[in-house]
């Protein structure tokens, strides 16, 4: 019988093998390749006839044993009770897919002044914390609650990336943002003498040739129509002026400079439900092992070379590390699971103190001033500039006085209160 036919068994029979073969023929059991050696019979039978063959062997007083099982049906029969090989991976995959419905990691980005703990506390008050069931959390409501309760936050967005939630924060700027539809006036961004004024919308408050101070109103966003009604508009204008202003650029005379070494190290960690499990030895353990090796070397040198060999000068600089962390979550069918790898790339460097001379400090500050002019005065024309550098308490300061022909128009939002709107509506109805 071919080895790969469905369901065949190699059997061994001891006893009255002749009668056993005859009975198999009478019962139409398709036995094949029977051979007898020293009263022991070997041969192949179909798996489906095994029970009947075993019954015949017992009737004849023969001892039957199975030496080998081949074929597809035997393989399926072998694994029919091992459903765990299919069930448990399916259950584990389902559990992982379901677990990404929970928040296992919270990240807050964009902070410089606001405390991260305040953001997380406000998010928790709105229902977002580690372990929260994400489908029941309103991300927009969390963002709105953070904006309302945390001063200094100008913009907030909450994004769900699998089981990882990122809170993006933009801290409030010093100058409030004016939207195109907001009623506003135009004020002077710098002190200067107006040389050209073109009003697109609003009521002008000054004339060409007048000198205005920084923050002074140039075009009003509060106008009055022909029938005497007060209107709030978004004022806009082109205001060219010869502006005079001063900018200061500073530089610490003593600075730490980095010198990167060729040594790089990659550390991997397993991220499991927001927790990182390192796959490397902690720095403390490595340092302790290094110190133990060093002590052993010193002790060996003392024992074999005498005490003079232990005298060593150590002028080596401390090696520091700059780390770059990237996450590589496990993804199934586009769904990110709360399992992944964290790659930590560490680059070694040393720090040395650099003391700038006055000439070097001046060159650095002039470069900073040139970069600022390129970014902020590109649309203007610098008519004159005067520089003066001073050094005080280890800080070099470059003071630059500018005379620049530039557009000094800056929008300033008009805060329209409910009482003003209501009084305007009342006057309209009375008219």
């Amino acid at each position: 019988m071919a080895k790969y036919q469905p369901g065949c068994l190699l059997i061994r029979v001891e006893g009255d093998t002749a009668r056993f073969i005859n009975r198999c023929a009478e019962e139409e059991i398709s036995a094949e390749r029977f051979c007898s050696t020293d009263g022991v019979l070997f041969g192949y039978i179909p798996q489906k006839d095994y029970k009947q063959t075993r019954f015949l062997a017992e009737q004849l007083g023969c001892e039957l044993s199975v030496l080998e099982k081949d074929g597809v049906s035997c393989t399926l029969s072998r694994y029919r009770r091992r459903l765990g090989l299919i069930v448990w991976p399916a259950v584990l995959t389902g559990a992982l897919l379901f677990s990404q419905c929970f928040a296992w990691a919270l990240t807050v980005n964009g902070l410089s002044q606001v405390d991260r703990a305040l953001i997380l506390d406000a998010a928790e008050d709105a229902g977002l914390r580690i372990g929260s069931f994400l489908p029941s959390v309103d991300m927009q409501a969390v963002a709105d609650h953070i904006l309302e309760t945390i001063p200094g936050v100008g913009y907030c967005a909450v994004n769900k990336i699998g089981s990882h939630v990122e809170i993006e924060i933009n801290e409030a700027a010093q100058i409030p943002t004016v939207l195109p539809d907001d009623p506003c006036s135009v004020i002077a961004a710098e002190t200067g003498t107006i040389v050209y004024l073109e009003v697109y919308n609003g009521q002008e408050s000054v004339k060409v040739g007048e000198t205005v101070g920084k923050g002074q109103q140039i075009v009003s966003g509060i106008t009055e129509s022909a029938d005497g009604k007060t209107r709030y508009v978004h004022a806009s204008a082109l205001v060219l002026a010869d502006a005079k202003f001063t900018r200061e650029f500073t530089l610490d005379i003593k600075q730490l400079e980095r010198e990167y070494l060729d040594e790089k190290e990659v550390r991997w960690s397993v991220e499991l439900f927001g927790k990182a499990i390192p796959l490397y030895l902690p720095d403390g353990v490595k340092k302790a092992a290094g110190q133990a090796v060093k002590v052993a070397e010193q002790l060996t040198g003392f024992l074999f070379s005498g005490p003079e060999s232990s005298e060593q000068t150590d002028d080596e600089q401390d090696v520091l590390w700059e780390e770059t962390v990237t996450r590589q979550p496990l993804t199934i069918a586009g769904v990110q699971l709360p399992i992944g790898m964290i790659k930590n790339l560490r680059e070694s460097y040393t720090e040395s103190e650099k003391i700038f001379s006055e000439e070097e400090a001046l060159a650095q500050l002039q470069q900073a001033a040139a970069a600022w002019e390129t970014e902020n005065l590109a649309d203007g024309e610098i008519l004159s500039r005067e520089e003066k550098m001073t050094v005080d308490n280890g800080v070099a300061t470059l003071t630059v006085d500018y005379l620049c022909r530039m557009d000094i128009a800056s929008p300033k939002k008009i805060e329209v209160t409910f009482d003003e709107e209501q009084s305007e509506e009342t006057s309209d109805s009375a008219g």
Side-chain angles (χ1 to χ4, degrees):
M1 180 176 292
K3 181 178 181 181
Y4 296 105
Q5 285 184 353
C8 61
L9 305 178
L10 173 62
I11 61 174
R12 178 179 184 274
V13 181
E14 292 185 23
D16 193 349
T17 56
R19 292 184 59 192
F20 175 78
I21 292 176
N22 293 332
R23 288 297 305 272
C24 286
E26 293 174 2
E27 299 293 334
E28 298 182 352
I29 297 176
S30 57
E32 297 183 8
R33 295 172 57 185
F34 273 151
C35 63
S36 179
T37 304
D38 297 333
V40 179
L41 180 68
F42 297 92
Y44 287 94
I45 62 170
Q47 184 185 12
K48 61 182 181 65
D49 295 334
Y50 172 69
K51 292 184 178 180
Q52 185 178 4
T53 305
R54 185 178 61 182
F55 178 74
L56 293 178
E58 292 176 353
Q59 283 186 334
L60 300 175
C62 297
E63 182 178 349
L64 185 147
S65 59
V66 178
L67 301 180
E68 184 179 344
K69 296 181 179 180
D70 291 319
V72 177
S73 60
C74 292
T75 303
L76 294 177
S77 176
R78 185 182 306 131
Y79 289 103
R80 71 182 186 279
R81 296 183 182 179
R82 301 181 184 179
L83 295 179
L85 296 176
I86 301 175
V87 173
W88 285 113
V91 170
L92 180 59
T93 302
L96 291 175
L97 291 174
F98 179 71
S99 66
Q100 63 98 30
C101 295
F102 297 86
W104 299 112
L106 293 178
T107 303
V108 183
N109 301 323
L111 295 181
S112 60
Q113 302 295 330
V114 181
D115 188 3
R116 180 176 181 272
L118 294 177
I119 302 296
L120 294 179
D121 290 342
E124 185 173 353
D125 293 339
L128 177 61
R129 64 178 67 86
I130 297 295
S132 296
F133 186 60
L134 293 177
S136 65
V137 178
D138 188 344
M139 300 300 175
Q140 185 59 48
V142 175
D144 293 341
H145 182 71
I146 293 175
L147 280 172
E148 294 172 1
T149 57
I150 306 298
V153 176
Y155 170 80
C156 178
V158 182
N159 304 314
K160 183 179 85 69
I161 307 174
S163 58
H164 183 210
V165 179
E166 291 185 349
I167 303 176
E168 299 290 341
I169 298 292
N170 282 343
E171 298 180 355
Q174 298 297 326
I175 300 176
T177 303
V178 179
L179 300 178
D181 297 331
D182 290 340
C184 69
S185 298
V186 175
I187 63 173
E190 300 290 349
T191 298
T193 302
I194 298 177
V195 296
Y196 180 80
L197 175 60
E198 183 178 355
V199 178
Y200 305 124
N201 198 13
Q203 181 65 45
E204 66 181 49
S205 303
V206 297
K207 301 296 183 181
V208 175
E210 295 185 17
T211 300
V212 295
K214 184 176 181 178
Q216 181 178 338
Q217 180 176 278
I218 299 176
V219 180
S220 174
I222 303 176
T223 63
E224 187 173 337
S225 61
D227 55 1
K229 294 181 180 179
T230 301
R231 298 173 56 245
Y232 297 91
V233 299
H234 183 89
S236 59
L238 173 62
V239 186
L240 290 181
D242 291 341
K244 294 182 179 181
F245 53 93
T246 301
R247 289 292 181 270
E248 289 186 350
F249 305 91
T250 60
L251 174 71
D252 290 333
I253 297 298
K254 294 182 180 180
Q255 291 191 3
L256 291 177
E257 286 193 342
R258 288 187 177 183
E259 181 181 354
Y260 285 90
L261 308 176
D262 294 334
E263 184 178 358
K264 293 185 179 180
E265 180 180 347
V266 177
R267 291 181 169 186
W268 292 94
S269 300
V270 176
E271 186 179 29
L272 183 61
F273 299 101
K275 302 296 183 181
I277 304 174
L279 302 179
Y280 54 88
L281 290 177
D283 289 337
V285 176
K286 294 178 65 177
K287 186 176 181 180
Q291 290 179 346
V293 172
K294 185 176 180 179
V295 170
E297 291 177 349
Q298 291 178 348
L299 180 60
T300 304
F302 176 80
L303 293 177
F304 291 95
S305 302
E308 65 279 0
S309 63
S310 63
E311 296 180 1
Q312 298 178 357
T313 58
D314 189 5
D315 297 330
E316 295 182 356
Q317 292 178 300
D318 292 335
V319 177
L320 304 175
W321 297 88
E322 182 180 79
E323 298 184 354
T324 303
V325 179
T326 56
R327 298 176 63 254
Q328 300 177 4
L330 177 63
T331 303
I332 296 181
V335 178
Q336 291 189 6
L337 303 179
I339 295 178
M341 300 296 294
I342 299 177
K343 180 182 179 181
N344 188 342
L345 176 61
R346 307 172 80 226
E347 297 183 74
S348 61
Y349 66 92
T350 58
E351 288 185 340
S352 59
E353 187 178 74
K354 177 178 177 60
I355 300 179
F356 290 92
S357 64
E358 290 192 8
E359 292 77 11
E360 292 174 335
L362 178 59
Q364 292 286 331
L365 291 172
Q366 287 176 338
Q367 289 180 8
W372 182 86
E373 293 167 5
T374 301
E375 181 179 356
N376 297 276
L377 304 180
D379 297 331
E381 178 185 358
I382 299 177
L383 302 178
S384 66
R385 63 193 300 275
E386 295 182 1
E387 295 181 353
K388 181 182 178 181
M389 192 185 79
T390 58
V391 179
D392 186 24
N393 294 327
V395 178
T397 303
L398 178 66
T399 304
V400 185
D401 296 324
Y402 290 96
L403 176 59
C404 181
R405 181 163 293 179
M406 57 187 293
D407 184 4
I408 63 171
S410 176
K412 181 181 180 182
K413 187 176 180 180
I414 300 175
E415 299 294 342
V416 182
T417 63
F418 176 76
D419 293 337
E420 290 175 341
E421 293 179 346
Q422 188 176 25
S423 63
E424 182 181 349
E425 292 175 1
T426 304
S427 62
D428 291 344
S429 60

